[in-house]
């Protein structure tokens, strides 16, 4: 927090929170869902309102560095630097996918992701097309 590594809605909504306090943040579509470098997230569709429940358990100056996950690499299980719908499905079924619209399936969400990110419509999302967290050294 305070490093602009999380969405603006969290930065603003959790400011001045006290230990033991609980807050529910409801973040409408738009700039409050983005950090300084854009959302960096795979969102299952546009115009989603995100709801998060928080409880501040402890405050520490000794917080570890946040992990810099290469989500692309985690999803690209065959290492071909392209994501298929099956790879996304396997990843989301294993780790869960929050933010689904009411009645929306994982398959619907993946179709929405492909509609947004598969810029050349080849049925795969390349490393260059991928908008989520990644390292560019691939």
């Amino acid at each position: 927090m305070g490093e602009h590594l999380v969405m603006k809605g969290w930065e603003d909504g959790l400011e001045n929170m006290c230990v033991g306090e609980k807050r529910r943040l409801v973040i409408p579509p738009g700039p409050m869902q983005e950090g300084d470098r854009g959302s960096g997230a795979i969102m299952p569709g546009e115009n989603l309102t995100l709801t998060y429940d928080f409880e501040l358990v402890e405050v520490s100056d000794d917080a570890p560095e946040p992990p810099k996950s290469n989500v692309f690499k985690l999803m690209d299980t065959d290492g071909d630097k392209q994501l298929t719908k099956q790879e996304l499905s396997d990843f989301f079924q294993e780790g869960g996918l929050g933010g689904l619209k009411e009645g929306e399936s994982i398959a619907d969400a993946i179709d929405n992701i492909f509609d947004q990110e598969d810029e050349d419509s080849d049925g795969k999302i390349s490393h260059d097309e991928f908008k989520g967290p990644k390292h560019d050294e691939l």
Side-chain angles (χ1 to χ4, degrees):
M1 299 299 300
E3 301 290 326
H4 305 288
L5 298 174
V6 298
M7 69 176 71
K8 185 164 175 39
W10 285 11
E11 290 277 352
D12 292 355
L14 300 175
E15 189 174 8
N16 299 319
M17 193 169 177
C18 298
V19 173
E21 183 179 351
K22 295 180 183 182
R23 290 188 187 176
R24 171 170 281 178
L25 301 182
V26 179
I27 304 171
M32 296 299 282
Q33 290 185 5
E34 297 183 359
D36 283 351
R37 289 173 264 160
S39 68
I42 299 175
M43 298 302 295
E46 296 179 16
N47 299 318
L48 295 178
T49 297
L50 305 175
T51 303
Y52 298 93
D53 291 310
F54 291 91
E55 179 178 2
L56 184 57
V57 179
E58 176 183 8
V59 176
S60 172
D61 290 331
D62 299 327
E65 278 288 313
K68 293 181 173 56
S69 296
N70 184 340
V71 175
F72 185 91
K73 187 174 181 179
L74 293 173
M75 289 191 275
D76 184 23
T77 56
D78 63 6
D80 68 351
K81 298 180 182 67
Q82 298 183 71
L83 301 177
T84 64
K85 287 185 177 186
Q86 185 62 53
E87 286 174 315
L88 263 65
S89 178
D90 293 346
F91 179 80
F92 292 137
Q93 287 179 14
E94 184 176 309
L97 174 64
L100 290 176
K101 296 176 188 174
E102 188 172 328
E104 182 179 43
S105 69
I106 288 178
D108 293 337
I110 290 170
D111 286 342
N112 288 333
I113 291 167
F114 267 77
D115 288 345
Q116 293 174 26
E117 298 201 19
D118 183 16
E119 295 171 3
D120 61 7
S121 300
D122 67 350
K124 296 181 180 180
I125 298 173
S126 70
H127 185 262
D128 289 337
E129 293 171 320
F130 183 71
K131 295 174 181 68
K134 62 183 178 182
H135 297 282
D136 292 323
E137 67 268 8
L138 288 178

